[in-house]
Amino acid sequence: RAATAAAAADDDCARTRAMAPPPSKQPRREDAIGPQYAEHLRALRGLMKEEAVECLIVSKATTFFWLTGGRCYVPTIEEAGPSKVFVDQEKAVVVTTAIEEHKMRNQECPGWEVRAAPWAGLPGTQDAIVAELVAGRPCEQDTGRLADRLEELMVDLTPSDVEAYRELGRDIGAALEEAARSVSVGDTEYKVAGLTHLAYNKRGIDLVMIAVAHDERIAWDRHPLARLGNNGDGAGGTELKKVCMIATCGRRKGLVCSLSRVVCFGEVPEELRKIHDVCMEVDAEINMATIPGKTAGELYDVLTKAYTDRGFPEQMLQHHQGGLIGYKCRHWIAQPGSDKVIKAGRAYAWNPTIAGKTIGTKSEDTIIVDKEGKVMNITPSPTWPYKEVKTADGKVFPRPDILVK
């Protein structure tokens, strides 16, 4: 059974508070867990100790990813699934069903102790395993009072996280370039989305967000979900005539990168050239302003000024501009007056967009602000045309230009 997210999860702890026989002593298995996730487990136990949490059930997909690197779901639309993790100060056990056991033990969560319940009789069979592990103690959920602190823990990248993130960034930058270079005039938006899926999937990356727009639709829709065309909505077909924009969020082992690219067939139209230059400039300004200690509210003001100084003040309010990324497409977005603080050792993705009269555009990559406060673009496309863009204070940040075919 694919468990539903929070509602069923809350029932777990209520049912398992009933007295159950104490669990037999098991050897700790942390040494068998990969170092990236063993470090996450230690951090989680530290938080639990600080918050006086004896037992915790991790069932939310994003938290499960962070803790184990594995996929707990079956349908990708679910926020939880048939696998969860029980954690106390002595044990960390993946609790799943017999259907998922081999996969969880050998593929998704190697090195973790795994206990599987018969599927016949769920949820009771799985609850019995949790009850044995809890042994009558207070038990909490990752969706409960620790949720906000857990999210803060997740976005603080360890050196192992940074290494994995940079590998994902290199692969995803190459994947989107491969997809964009394979696009042809006459392709529907859905075909382009399929080409993008193929390029990502062959590198072990799941597309968790894919937006494709062709020609004038780039100006109409800021989140253009792919269409086949002629669906009775008055928008006509989506067969590519000249300009294609692909915007994506790709995930591997929980970490998410966000990036967008624009392709033009033949000479770039004057309006597109103008607005893309501005978009790249705004993008450079916000990325170079992502400095530890600054607030999201201050960065909102940076963006507002960047658009206004270039004659496009209205664009600021037509689409959010991005923010903190990690195990979600965005953990927060920059809002006016927000006190969210930029911190070193975290990832950010800004996505300036401009809609013109006949065409639109976007500039986007994922960056990491390292421990020294330096901005690193982790999603460059290897042979894509980049432009060295200078900010108002003289800094230079390369931005992806339009690929002309």
Side-chain angles (χ1 to χ4, degrees):
R1 175 186 64 95
T4 55
D10 287 340
D11 291 340
D12 289 341
C13 283
R15 285 192 291 264
T16 56
R17 289 190 186 191
M19 290 303 295
S24 57
K25 289 288 184 181
Q26 301 266 348
R28 290 171 69 110
R29 297 175 55 93
E30 288 178 39
D31 291 344
I33 298 171
Q36 181 180 359
Y37 304 108
E39 190 167 1
H40 293 177
L41 177 58
R42 287 193 293 274
L44 176 58
R45 282 178 168 150
L47 175 61
M48 290 170 62
K49 192 169 186 179
E50 184 180 335
E51 294 286 344
V53 173
E54 288 191 59
C55 304
L56 183 71
I57 303 296
V58 172
S59 58
K60 195 174 177 181
T62 50
T63 317
F64 191 100
F65 261 131
W66 170 77
L67 183 58
T68 70
R71 294 169 288 189
C72 65
Y73 51 77
V74 180
T76 57
I77 61 171
E78 295 188 348
E79 292 187 3
S83 301
K84 60 191 75 174
V85 185
F86 165 86
V87 181
D88 66 10
Q89 293 299 324
E90 295 298 322
K91 295 184 183 63
V93 182
V94 175
V95 181
T96 189
T97 70
I99 302 169
E100 313 300 327
E101 181 178 7
H102 179 272
K103 177 180 68 180
M104 301 312 293
R105 190 184 302 280
N106 298 288
Q107 299 162 19
E108 299 298 329
C109 305
W112 289 76
E113 181 180 350
V114 176
R115 296 186 61 181
W119 69 264
L122 287 172
T125 51
Q126 199 171 42
D127 291 341
I129 295 174
V130 175
E132 180 187 342
L133 293 165
V134 170
R137 295 171 291 172
C139 173
E140 300 197 28
Q141 295 287 333
D142 61 344
T143 54
R145 68 182 179 94
L146 291 188
D148 289 345
R149 292 207 61 188
L150 267 172
E151 193 150 322
E152 284 291 299
L153 205 60
M154 290 162 61
V155 295
D156 283 330
L157 303 173
T158 67
S160 295
D161 294 332
V162 171
E163 182 180 354
Y165 225 153
R166 296 187 72 170
E167 289 177 1
L168 169 60
R170 284 192 293 271
D171 285 348
I172 207 169
L176 187 50
E177 177 170 350
E178 178 183 311
R181 289 188 180 277
S182 70
V183 169
S184 300
V185 170
D187 288 347
T188 65
E189 292 170 352
Y190 252 121
K191 181 176 179 182
V192 173
L195 293 169
T196 308
H197 271 282
L198 175 62
Y200 280 48
N201 290 168
K202 69 195 280 188
R203 293 169 172 86
I205 302 167
D206 291 321
L207 263 174
V208 293
M209 195 288 295
I210 171 71
V212 179
H214 291 164
D215 304 304
E216 61 276 5
R217 189 175 177 230
I218 307 173
W220 300 345
D221 300 320
R222 297 307 180 97
H223 286 150
L225 300 180
R227 296 171 55 253
L228 282 174
N230 298 316
N231 291 329
D233 57 6
T238 72
E239 290 80 6
L240 173 60
K241 298 188 287 289
K242 190 171 181 68
V243 182
C244 170
M245 184 189 76
I246 312 172
T248 69
C249 293
R251 179 170 67 189
R252 187 166 66 194
K253 291 188 174 294
L255 290 168
V256 179
C257 281
S258 188
L259 66 162
S260 300
R261 299 291 184 263
V262 177
V263 181
C264 181
F265 287 82
E267 184 178 353
V268 177
E270 182 179 350
E271 184 181 32
L272 177 59
R273 182 68 274 166
K274 178 182 179 180
I275 63 175
H276 194 75
D277 283 346
V278 170
C279 214
M280 288 191 295
E281 290 172 8
V282 174
D283 200 17
E285 293 285 355
I286 188 60
N287 277 284
M288 289 292 91
T290 308
I291 298 168
K294 290 225 177 204
T295 66
E298 289 173 320
L299 292 183
Y300 181 94
D301 294 339
V302 168
L303 285 155
T304 300
K305 185 176 187 303
Y307 279 114
T308 301
D309 288 351
R310 291 162 177 82
F312 292 86
E314 76 287 351
Q315 298 296 321
M316 183 64 189
L317 296 180
Q318 293 187 15
H319 191 276
H320 80 76
Q321 303 295 308
L324 179 66
I325 194 170
Y327 286 82
K328 294 180 179 180
C329 293
R330 299 294 187 273
H331 288 271
W332 53 252
I333 58 174
Q335 297 276 12
S338 172
D339 61 0
K340 298 288 187 183
V341 178
I342 300 298
K343 296 182 181 180
R346 293 185 172 185
Y348 299 87
W350 304 105
N351 47 264
T353 67
I354 295 179
K357 293 180 180 179
T358 63
I359 198 70
T361 194
K362 188 175 188 178
S363 182
E364 180 183 27
D365 274 303
T366 299
I367 63 171
I368 289 178
V369 180
D370 69 16
K371 296 299 183 182
E372 287 72 46
K374 180 182 176 183
V375 170
M376 304 181 293
N377 175 17
I378 65 169
T379 54
S381 296
T383 63
W384 195 270
Y386 277 79
K387 184 176 181 180
E388 299 284 315
V389 181
K390 185 176 289 189
T391 64
D393 60 359
K395 297 174 183 175
V396 174
F397 192 61
R399 292 291 70 223
D401 206 345
I402 300 163
L403 175 66
V404 179
K405 296 182 70 176

